[in-house]
Amino acid sequence: MTRRRGLSAEERDLWDKVAASARPMRPRRPLPAAQEHAPKARPHTPKPGPGDFHLGHLARPLTAVHDLAPTIEERLASLPLRMDRRTHQQLTRGKLAPEARIDLHGMTLAEAHPELIRFVLKAHAAGKRLILVITGKGKRADEHGPIPQRIGVLRHQVPHWLGQPPLGAVVQQIAPAHLKHGGAGACYVYLRRPR
């Protein structure tokens, strides 16, 4: 094992000059005179006895917030407005009468999807602007398992289908239906003008 060589007098002078010119990045705060030489005292905490125990007193507080998916009405209302504002207000207030309607209530997803595509494209080709799609509100299943299930599978799937090709090219706006046209179990579909 080799011994480390000490600094020569010339090297020590050079080091002292460098150290004197250096500024600390974080200057130390001066301690009060009374605390300079006094040893740091640890706070005395008494040991807990059997009577000091309370269930959950060491548990962290619950901070988890459940991020619930928005309802179908909230999701449709949050879509950007792509039609005339005044017409949209009349539409959501139930003042406009649908020119055509389709009832998908009671159909399976496999039956409803091609039926919806056929109906919307046919209505668009006929020059119709406002159609009503009735999906039904859905019914609660008898099974109460650990995983929550959405009520109304068609009700949640139809807006998704209306935004996808081939329907996305002809659909201008989707809005929840007014109570007199079916309320939560239906939606308005405002179509683009045929070219």
Side-chain angles (χ1 to χ4, degrees):
M1 190 164 173
T2 61
R3 290 181 67 147
R4 293 176 78 185
R5 165 180 92 78
L7 295 176
S8 67
E10 186 180 311
E11 292 171 333
R12 174 58 69 188
D13 288 339
L14 180 62
W15 177 252
D16 289 339
K17 287 178 185 175
V18 170
S21 67
R23 274 190 353 226
M25 290 176 68
R26 293 187 190 123
R28 289 189 172 174
R29 295 183 185 153
L31 291 174
Q35 292 182 359
E36 266 183 40
H37 301 314
K40 292 184 180 178
R42 293 177 64 193
H44 177 30
T45 55
K47 291 187 177 182
D52 296 334
F53 176 75
H54 299 288
L55 187 64
H57 77 282
L58 295 177
R60 284 184 265 146
L62 292 176
T63 57
V65 177
H66 299 291
D67 186 17
L68 300 176
T71 63
I72 191 72
E73 290 82 15
E74 292 170 347
R75 217 172 66 207
L76 290 177
S78 70
L79 290 175
L81 190 62
R82 291 180 284 187
M83 60 185 287
D84 179 48
R85 185 181 57 82
R86 187 176 187 128
T87 308
H88 185 261
Q89 284 178 343
Q90 289 178 338
L91 176 73
T92 54
R93 292 176 182 163
K95 304 285 185 194
L96 299 177
E99 300 171 67
R101 67 182 66 220
I102 183 171
D103 190 355
L104 303 175
H105 187 248
M107 292 186 187
T108 64
L109 291 174
E111 296 168 341
H113 193 200
E115 195 66 28
L116 179 69
I117 291 172
R118 184 195 59 76
F119 174 76
V120 171
L121 293 178
K122 185 177 173 185
H124 182 258
K128 296 181 179 172
R129 296 297 306 271
L130 179 62
I131 59 175
L132 181 70
V133 178
I134 302 167
T135 59
K137 293 180 184 177
K139 62 180 181 179
R140 187 173 290 281
D142 292 337
E143 299 176 22
H144 298 291
I147 300 173
Q149 295 179 351
R150 286 184 168 167
I151 299 171
V153 178
L154 270 177
R155 198 172 135 223
H156 287 85
Q157 194 63 38
V158 163
H160 179 67
W161 288 338
L162 291 168
Q164 284 184 326
L167 301 180
V170 298
V171 172
Q172 186 170 353
Q173 188 77 41
I174 307 165
H178 189 267
L179 282 174
K180 70 180 184 181
H181 292 132
C187 63
Y188 296 123
V189 180
Y190 198 75
L191 302 176
R192 297 182 191 279
R193 283 193 175 91
R195 292 183 184 136

